[in-house]
């Protein structure tokens, strides 16, 4: 972890002063992943669930040590039941077959969301008929869906999602907030470290006590709902913007559960040309926020900005595009143990 910390601090040298760094947040080195993204290979009689090697042959990873305990316990009976459905694994070289991926997410309470990624909807009836067997194998199954990905390209899932269960959300309980995760919504893959990340943001928000918070790239509402519950003024205005409608629906449901006033709307956070709030929170994809959104934030001159990034290189570039703000606090979160990937959160204040 010290090597990673040194690497990230070096990437941000000149934009994050040395005295701003808090000690890194570290979770378990193994047993931390709440999600399994399993490429399906092999044959109908003997499918593999894991990855594909350089020759597109299936390599089984059902016993991977990175999965958190609830997920690790569920995968053997679940994948055995899926194998029993008789779905033909997709053959990348021949471009034939149906089942491309099996995506499984476990909540902190042990419930499961299972998504079948198929080349076409032709096998949907087979999966529907087998749903009682899947529930018998894994009673903790809460949400099941089929995603249709017809294209032959390196994209994990397609635009069409077909819900198979009455329940459409997986409750992800982190500290005080239960997030409502829908099939095509993003959620951090490390629940322990994600909870620590939101706690850190909540501490910073409570300390500066903004009257209004705008959460851009808000997803299922992680930072926005944390801001709503942070200490300070009870009338704090909370807004969130996210491009994914399912994530926005989940954020609204969580806000209703908590009884907090928060306005979440569907929109492209990166394309906003006007930003108005005492605090702006951004949690963008790896590419960062870009010069245009940085210019909009600079023009609005909020008192504080919280930037959570999974790419210190783009973070450094974006911080340089925010000349009216300076970093006063920073912390590294080891969201992806045993890798060079990372999550960094910084607090900026207006100069």
């Amino acid at each position: 972890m010290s090597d990673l910390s040194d690497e990230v601090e070096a990437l941000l040298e000149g934009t994050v002063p040395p005295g701003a760094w808090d000690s890194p947040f570290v979770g378990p080195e193994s047993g931390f992943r709440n999600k399994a993204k399993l490429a399906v290979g092999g044959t109908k009689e003997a499918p593999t669930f894991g990855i594909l090697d350089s020759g597109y042959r299936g390599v089984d990873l059902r016993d991977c040590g990175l999965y958190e305990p609830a997920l690790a316990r569920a995968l053997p009976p679940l994948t055995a039941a899926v194998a029993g459905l008789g779905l033909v694994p997709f053959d990348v070289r021949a471009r034939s077959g149906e089942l491309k991926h099996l995506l499984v997410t476990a909540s902190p309470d042990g419930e499961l969301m299972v998504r079948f990624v198929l080349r076409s909807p032709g096998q949907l009836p087979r999966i529907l008929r087998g749903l009682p067997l899947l529930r018998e194998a894994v009673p903790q199954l809460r949400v099941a869906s089929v995603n249709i990905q017809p294209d032959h390209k390196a994209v994990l899932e397609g635009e069409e999602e077909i819900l198979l269960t009455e329940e459409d959300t997986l409750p992800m309980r982190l500290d005080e907030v239960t997030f409502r995760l829908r099939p095509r919504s993003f959620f951090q893959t490390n629940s322990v470290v994600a909870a620590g990340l939101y706690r850190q943001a909540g501490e910073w928000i409570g300390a500066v006590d903004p009257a209004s918070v705008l959460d851009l790239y808000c997803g299922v509402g992680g930072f926005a709902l944390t801001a709503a519950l942070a200490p300070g003024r009870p009338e704090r205005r909370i807004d969130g913007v996210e491009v994914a409608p399912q994530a926005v629906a989940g954020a609204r449901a969580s806000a209703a559960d908590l009884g907090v006033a928060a306005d979440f709307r569907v929109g492209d956070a990166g394309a906003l040309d006007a930003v108005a709030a005492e605090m702006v929170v951004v949690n963008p994809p790896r590419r960062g926020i870009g010069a245009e959104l940085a210019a909009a934030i600079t023009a609005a001159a909020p008192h504080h900005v919280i930037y959570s990034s999974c790419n210190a290189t783009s973070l450094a570039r974006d911080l340089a595009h925010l000349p009216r703000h300076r970093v006063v606090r920073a912390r590294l979160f080891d969201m992806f143990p045993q890798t060079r990937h990372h999550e960094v959160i910084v607090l900026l204040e207006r100069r």
Side-chain angles (χ1 to χ4, degrees):
M1 183 61 189
S2 60
D3 290 344
L4 178 59
S5 180
D6 291 343
E7 178 182 324
V8 171
E9 289 188 28
L11 288 170
L12 293 169
E13 187 176 5
T15 55
V16 178
W21 287 102
D22 291 327
S23 59
F25 186 100
V26 180
E29 284 290 309
S30 61
F32 63 86
R33 280 191 66 92
N34 58 32
K35 186 172 185 177
K37 299 180 179 181
L38 302 169
V40 184
T43 64
K44 181 175 71 172
E45 294 75 20
T48 61
F49 298 86
I51 61 173
L52 303 180
D53 66 15
S54 58
Y56 301 110
R57 295 176 294 268
V59 178
D60 209 275
L61 290 178
R62 278 176 276 193
D63 60 351
C64 176
L66 297 183
Y67 302 139
E68 63 179 38
L71 183 56
R73 288 192 299 269
L75 282 180
L78 172 64
T79 53
V82 171
L85 297 179
L87 300 168
V88 178
F90 182 72
D91 187 320
V92 175
R93 289 170 296 187
R95 301 193 183 186
S96 64
E98 283 297 323
L99 182 56
K100 292 185 171 183
H101 293 89
L102 188 69
L103 310 178
V104 187
T105 303
S107 77
D109 294 316
E111 293 184 300
L112 298 177
M113 176 188 292
V114 178
R115 301 172 63 207
F116 296 82
V117 180
L118 301 179
R119 183 171 64 96
S120 75
Q123 295 301 304
L124 180 59
R126 184 185 291 268
I127 297 174
L128 279 170
R129 289 194 301 270
L131 196 56
L133 295 177
L134 295 179
R135 289 192 180 279
E136 183 178 343
V138 280
Q140 59 272 46
L141 175 63
R142 179 183 175 93
V143 181
S145 66
V146 165
N147 179 274
I148 307 300
Q149 168 51 299
D151 299 325
H152 184 71
K153 58 184 180 182
V155 177
L156 188 66
E157 58 190 71
E159 294 295 324
E160 183 179 3
E161 193 85 22
I162 304 166
L163 193 66
L164 306 181
T165 52
E166 182 177 348
E167 294 288 351
D168 63 354
T169 60
L170 182 68
M172 301 292 287
R173 180 181 51 82
L174 300 184
D175 294 338
E176 298 177 83
V177 182
T178 298
F179 299 101
R180 301 291 173 179
L181 185 63
R182 297 191 177 210
R184 298 193 64 217
S185 301
F186 168 79
F187 196 79
Q188 297 282 8
T189 60
N190 189 326
S191 297
V192 171
V193 180
L197 179 72
Y198 295 141
R199 284 196 297 272
Q200 180 64 82
E203 290 176 13
W204 289 348
I205 294 168
V208 303
D209 195 15
S212 55
V213 176
L214 174 60
D215 183 4
L216 302 179
Y217 309 94
C218 70
V220 294
F223 289 106
L225 296 171
T226 297
L229 297 178
R233 62 190 81 199
E235 73 282 7
R236 182 177 297 136
R237 177 176 175 81
I238 306 296
D239 293 278
V241 179
E242 166 61 43
V243 72
Q246 285 203 3
V248 170
R252 289 170 177 167
S254 294
D257 289 343
L258 292 167
V260 300
D263 181 21
F264 294 100
R265 64 185 187 272
V266 178
D268 183 358
L272 293 183
D273 57 6
V275 176
E278 283 193 6
M279 171 179 279
V280 174
V281 181
V282 293
N283 182 25
R286 287 186 59 80
R287 64 178 180 273
I289 64 174
E292 291 186 9
L293 180 54
I297 294 173
T298 297
H303 295 309
H304 292 89
V305 176
I306 289 179
Y307 192 138
S308 183
S309 170
C310 61
N311 183 353
T313 300
S314 61
L315 173 59
R317 183 170 60 246
D318 288 339
L319 292 178
H321 288 144
L322 295 168
R324 296 181 65 178
H325 292 83
R326 65 185 183 93
V327 176
V328 293
R329 300 286 297 277
R331 194 173 188 186
L332 174 66
F333 286 77
D334 193 16
M335 192 72 73
F336 315 98
Q338 304 185 47
T339 76
R340 309 310 299 168
H341 297 286
H342 51 266
E343 189 81 18
V344 184
I345 187 171
V346 297
L347 172 66
L348 300 93
E349 68 177 16
R350 190 170 63 196
R351 295 181 188 273

